[in-house]
Amino acid sequence: MPLNATTRSFVQLGVALCLGLTQAVAHVAATPPAAAQRTHAFFGELHVHTMNSPDAFMLNVRTTPDDAYRFARGEAIPHISGVTIQLRAPLDFIAITDHSEYMGILPRLFEPQGALAGLPIAARLADEDPERRQAAVLEVLMTLGENKPMPALVDQALRQSIWQEYVRSAERHYRPGEFSTLIGYEWTSSGALDEVNLHRNVIFRSNQVPAQPFSSFDSVEPRALWTWLDEQRALGIEGMAIAHNSNLSNGLMFPTDVAFGGAAIDADYAALRQRNEPLVEIAQIKGSSETHPLLSPNDEWAGFELLEDLLGGRGTLGKVQGSYVRDAWLSGLLMQAQQGYNPYRFGVIAASDSHNAGSQVEEDNYHGKIGSADGTPETRRGGSFINTHHIKYSSAGLAGVWATENTREALYDALARRETFGTSGPRISVRFFAGADWPADLLTRPDWVEQAYATGVAMGGELEQSSGAGPEFLLWAAKDPGSAWLQRVQIVKGWVEDGATRETVFDVGCADGLSPDPSTHRCPDNGATVSLETCEYDRHRGEGQIAVRWRDPGFDPEQPAFYYARVLENPTCRWSTWDSLRTGLPLPQDVPPTLQERAWTSPIWYRPSAVSDAPAPS
């Protein structure tokens, strides 16, 4: 039969391995915390894979969910390359998100006394003849690529048993108030879509979870996943979907006319999506999804860590329209203004998508994405069944959440109300509020955050009609204690004018006593440098904190708009430069030697009273 690109990729991988195989938001907690409840920035990871994901297991990863929890808590764990890996500081929370398709199945197929040992396919996988063993592996891989699972490998009782192991593991490592283990998985819709990534991570609020995950074997359509989440909610099980790698969706993640599967994008679609998908990953190892130079030609920072090759390792470039976050926010504004609904009022996080059970978010501590495919500096210069260039992977990222405490429920509620931000790896903290009639000395007061909550709107929220000079924005950012100094803070504005979308970037706070040029809205270069011989970065320029109040000079009370903050560090070495420094390999030519690590906040939306959402269908 003809093979789609994903199937071809799995087949190629199997051949290689067999030869050597041994303001509607998510339903819960849409309201902000009371002003008296202080929120704190918690940093974590909502996208990690272990040996229980088929692609990780096939590339010799043997670390478990328990290993991933230990890694997140700051312990060292083994890596396929033979070294141990460890974060410099523990995380506050984590979700293990192994692929729901064949979750935990491949390890069991190779257990001589395991539950699947009696299956004919298990015996063939253990065959001493390499050709027969190869044929058996290809048979399993074909079912993934064609989205037609083997019935014995998706037995309901077996799936439920494996899923309950995940729940028990999460319970063992949960330390309320200290370390949170959110229960989740990845719905991996791509096998029947010819290279297109429509993947979602599904996260639950508590240990009340479904009997088994909904997988792309059940449906490849996002609407089916959202409908399933609605059905679970009716049973008292609260969960949400988080889209990722929209940059690799070939324009299908954020459609404007017809949704995937052929349904019209209308008020029903918008309400269903908003109820169940409040967040998107803005960055991870497979690249940044904020924006693209073709979409934002006047944004000098639009080309950050781009990965444009679609899945499948064939070098096919995806469409930019409908594949990037800022473009979706703009499309949503236009739909809201013209049609009365907005399916794209979502916030952002970042994540790693590690398949090694350990997040690769530190540039000088990078260990690759997926097992033996890119586990060493040498293999990271090649390609695989995922894409053609491992060197273009990013060392990213982390989710930032403003929550009242470090518990599953408090973190989930903050995710649901979109009071979230993402970073490219460093633990940069950032707050962002909009409001009016604040005291002139607000940012100098010890209770400024409480006052901002009491009389304003935090990131992820919506600001109603404003008159006169318009809202004022409060933006505060603090550096990661273990990373470079901050260079500038920015506010990105998108709006609708004369029936068309517009965007602009404002530098609103500069380091080193500098000020934005009033005509260009840009900070002067602060002169920070980094040595390519030692990777020593400038420790004499930049700021530890930047706090500003800003008012939009072009505010029009009749124009719908969104505003989000972006925080940039001084330049530092990219992970690929660290690899070259340590090994003597030449600097790669197709990626920059340095980068500016950054953080992005969820937007604040401004809506004139004349523009309203259509009533959300029940």
Side-chain angles (χ1 to χ4, degrees):
M1 75 180 79
L3 304 182
N4 68 19
T6 304
T7 302
R8 284 192 297 272
S9 302
F10 276 125
V11 168
Q12 291 164 1
L13 174 65
V15 170
L17 291 175
C18 287
L19 297 178
L21 186 62
T22 60
Q23 191 95 127
V25 299
H27 194 263
V28 124
T31 57
Q37 290 182 285
R38 184 80 181 196
T39 57
H40 307 273
F42 296 106
F43 291 93
E45 171 70 276
L46 295 176
H47 195 167
V48 175
H49 297 265
T50 72
M51 66 181 287
N52 287 332
S53 285
D55 46 356
F57 187 85
M58 288 186 295
L59 285 165
N60 301 313
V61 171
R62 296 298 182 264
T63 39
T64 67
D66 286 328
D67 290 322
Y69 289 130
R70 286 191 286 267
F71 180 88
R73 296 195 67 188
E75 297 181 30
I77 64 172
H79 185 263
I80 183 62
S81 63
V83 303
T84 58
I85 57 176
Q86 187 173 20
L87 288 170
R88 279 192 288 270
L91 298 175
D92 297 310
F93 63 88
I94 188 174
I96 310 302
T97 54
D98 281 313
H99 298 293
S100 54
E101 297 73 21
Y102 288 162
M103 176 188 283
I105 293 296
L106 265 66
R108 284 161 175 80
L109 281 173
F110 285 87
E111 291 178 356
Q113 307 301 322
L116 301 178
L119 292 178
I121 188 66
R124 292 168 56 204
L125 287 169
D127 198 299
E128 293 184 0
D129 183 276
E131 291 189 4
R132 289 196 293 268
R133 191 167 67 241
Q134 172 182 332
V137 172
L138 292 181
E139 187 173 334
V140 175
L141 298 180
M142 283 278 289
T143 67
L144 276 172
E146 294 296 331
N147 218 54
K148 297 176 180 178
M150 293 181 175
L153 302 188
V154 289
D155 174 77
Q156 182 168 300
L158 177 61
R159 291 182 66 197
Q160 292 179 2
S161 173
I162 292 172
W163 179 234
Q164 285 306 310
E165 288 182 20
Y166 275 82
V167 176
R168 289 192 293 271
S169 179
E171 293 293 279
R172 284 196 301 272
H173 293 273
Y174 185 29
R175 304 288 186 274
E178 176 189 346
F179 179 72
S180 292
T181 56
L182 287 86
I183 300 169
Y185 69 91
E186 180 173 335
W187 174 80
T188 318
S189 179
S190 60
L193 303 178
D194 199 24
E195 300 181 309
V196 173
N197 185 319
L198 291 180
H199 304 183
R200 268 79 172 174
N201 290 329
V202 178
I203 307 296
F204 297 100
R205 187 173 187 263
S206 70
N207 60 4
Q208 301 301 306
V209 300
Q212 63 190 39
F214 183 90
S215 81
S216 67
F217 290 155
D218 298 303
S219 176
V220 298
E221 292 198 30
R223 287 176 303 152
L225 173 65
W226 303 328
T227 300
W228 178 79
L229 285 168
D230 269 354
E231 293 167 353
Q232 298 306 307
R233 194 171 296 116
L235 298 174
I237 299 171
E238 181 64 41
M240 69 169 67
I242 302 174
H244 69 86
N245 280 123
S246 59
N247 58 313
L248 303 181
S249 71
N250 203 27
L252 293 180
M253 189 68 82
F254 308 120
T256 55
D257 297 319
V258 178
F260 176 77
I265 297 177
D266 53 19
D268 289 308
Y269 174 92
L272 179 65
R273 185 164 188 162
Q274 286 283 280
R275 243 185 347 265
N276 294 290
E277 196 165 285
L279 297 170
V280 169
E281 284 180 15
I282 199 167
Q284 60 131 273
I285 192 170
K286 293 198 293 295
S288 165
S289 295
E290 180 195 10
T291 191
H292 189 283
L294 294 177
L295 298 169
S296 303
N298 297 320
D299 182 351
E300 303 95 308
W301 296 271
F304 179 70
E305 290 295 283
L306 291 181
L307 181 59
E308 302 173 85
D309 295 0
L310 297 180
L311 296 179
R314 297 165 62 203
T316 305
L317 296 182
K319 298 176 183 176
V320 298
Q321 198 81 37
S323 295
Y324 289 86
V325 166
R326 190 190 301 174
D327 178 60
W329 285 331
L330 288 165
S331 296
L333 276 187
L334 192 60
M335 283 189 275
Q336 177 183 296
Q338 295 180 344
Q339 294 155 240
Y341 52 82
N342 181 355
Y344 304 132
R345 198 181 296 127
F346 52 76
V348 299
I349 60 163
S352 75
D353 195 9
S354 167
H355 282 58
N356 294 313
S359 305
Q360 70 297 319
V361 299
E362 298 163 347
E363 300 291 335
D364 62 347
N365 190 24
Y366 183 79
H367 46 263
K369 170 183 168 67
I370 182 165
S372 54
D374 64 346
T376 66
E378 292 76 19
T379 56
R380 286 195 276 275
R381 293 183 173 234
S384 75
F385 72 103
I386 298 175
N387 65 51
T388 56
H389 302 290
H390 293 317
I391 205 74
K392 292 186 178 180
Y393 283 156
S394 296
S395 182
L398 286 178
V401 178
W402 288 103
T404 55
E405 60 181 356
N406 188 357
T407 63
R408 285 173 179 157
E409 292 79 9
L411 291 167
Y412 184 97
D413 294 351
L415 294 167
R417 67 176 179 263
R418 304 170 300 214
E419 197 173 350
T420 58
F421 58 99
T423 87
S424 58
R427 302 180 196 195
I428 301 168
S429 298
V430 54
R431 286 194 184 273
F432 189 47
F433 293 93
D437 302 322
W438 282 320
D441 64 344
L442 177 61
L443 283 176
T444 67
R445 297 186 180 188
D447 66 342
W448 77 268
V449 172
E450 288 78 2
Q451 291 198 44
Y453 273 124
T455 59
V457 173
M459 64 179 79
E462 188 172 40
L463 194 66
E464 296 297 335
Q465 177 76 20
S466 182
S467 58
E472 192 171 18
F473 293 87
L474 303 178
L475 173 53
W476 169 88
K479 73 181 290 292
D480 178 338
S483 191
W485 300 92
L486 303 183
Q487 184 190 81
R488 69 187 72 207
V489 295
Q490 304 173 315
I491 292 178
V492 181
K493 176 189 179 183
W495 73 99
V496 173
E497 182 177 349
D498 297 329
T501 58
R502 304 280 189 268
E503 64 174 63
T504 192
V505 177
F506 297 91
D507 286 1
V508 298
C510 313
D512 304 301
L514 302 172
S515 300
D517 184 295
S519 59
T520 64
H521 307 296
R522 292 292 182 269
C523 296
D525 186 352
N526 73 341
T529 60
V530 57
S531 167
L532 296 186
E533 285 71 42
T534 65
C535 281
E536 180 69 18
Y537 58 80
D538 199 322
R539 301 176 189 271
H540 303 288
R541 294 177 174 84
E543 304 290 343
Q545 294 186 39
I546 301 177
V548 294
R549 299 175 67 156
W550 178 80
R551 203 181 292 274
D552 177 6
F555 177 74
D556 182 338
E558 302 305 317
Q559 288 176 347
F562 63 80
Y563 302 83
Y564 70 97
R566 187 168 63 187
V567 182
L568 279 77
E569 286 186 353
N570 284 334
T572 53
C573 275
R574 192 178 187 273
W575 68 262
S576 46
T577 303
W578 279 105
D579 268 5
S580 294
L581 180 66
R582 290 165 176 155
T583 62
L585 293 167
L587 287 172
Q589 298 300 305
D590 48 357
V591 291
T594 66
L595 79 173
Q596 284 186 274
E597 303 272 24
R598 60 198 61 194
W600 306 262
T601 72
S602 295
I604 294 172
W605 287 266
Y606 168 72
R607 182 168 64 176
S609 58
V611 178
S612 61
D613 283 340
S618 58

